[in-house]
Amino acid sequence: MKKVAIVMGSDSDLGVLTPAIDKLKSFSIPHEVRVISAHRTPLQAIEFASKAEENGFGVIIAAAGKAAHLAGVLAGNTTLPVIGIPVKASVLDGMDALLATVQMPSGIPVATVAIDGSANAAILAAQILALSDENLASELKKMREKMTSDVVEKDKKIKAQFE
C-alpha cells in the first residue's frame, strides 16, 4: 500500500493533525509526519513534493494556517493528490487559511477539507488509496455502516425521550 504524507507548516499544527494520524492508524495506512514550511524551508518543500511519488507516497495531506501556501507549493511540485487542511491559527479564525487553500490556479488542484478538518482529510486519503485496495475499500464501507447504525440508535433514544 502507498504511504500518506502528513505535512504541517509548523509543529504548532500537530494538535490539529492528531485526528488524521489516528484515523490513518485505524485503517493501518502507512504514513509519515513531517514539518516543512512553504515559507521558511521552501527548497525542502519542493524537494519533498518532487520526490514523494518515488518515495512511496500515494497522497499528501498538507496543513497550514494563515497564508497557508503549503498545500499549493506541494501540489505545484507533484502530480500526487494533495489534500489541504486550513488551520485556525490567526485572528481571522482560519478563514485566511481556507481561502489560501481553496484558491488554486487551474491545473494545480488541492482538495480542501474544513478548517481543522484533519479526520476528513485522512478519510479522503483512504478513499483515494482504496481505489486500488479492496481491503481498504471494505474497511471504509464498514466505517460508513457503523456511522449509520450509530445515528439510527441515537435517533431511537431521542425519539423515545420525547414520546
Side-chain angles (χ1 to χ4, degrees), residues 38-120:
H39 302 111
R40 293 181 291 267
T41 59
L43 297 178
Q44 288 88 337
I46 291 167
E47 181 179 12
F48 179 82
S50 65
K51 293 182 178 179
E53 188 171 6
E54 72 183 68
N55 287 328
F57 293 101
V59 180
I60 298 172
I61 295 173
K66 298 183 180 177
H69 293 133
L70 182 59
V73 168
L74 297 175
N77 289 283
T78 186
T79 57
L80 293 177
V82 175
I83 303 167
I85 305 170
V87 175
K88 182 179 177 180
S90 74
V91 296
L92 299 176
D93 289 332
M95 284 300 295
D96 48 350
L98 174 64
L99 294 174
T101 305
V102 300
Q103 295 296 325
M104 292 300 298
S106 180
I108 310 293
V110 170
T112 307
V113 295
I115 296 169
D116 291 350
S118 74
N120 270 354

Side-chain angles (χ1 to χ4, degrees), residues 7-18 63-65 70 87-89:
V7 184
M8 63 194 92
S10 169
D11 62 347
S12 64
D13 300 330
L14 183 58
V16 169
L17 289 169
T18 300
L70 182 59
V87 175
K88 182 179 177 180

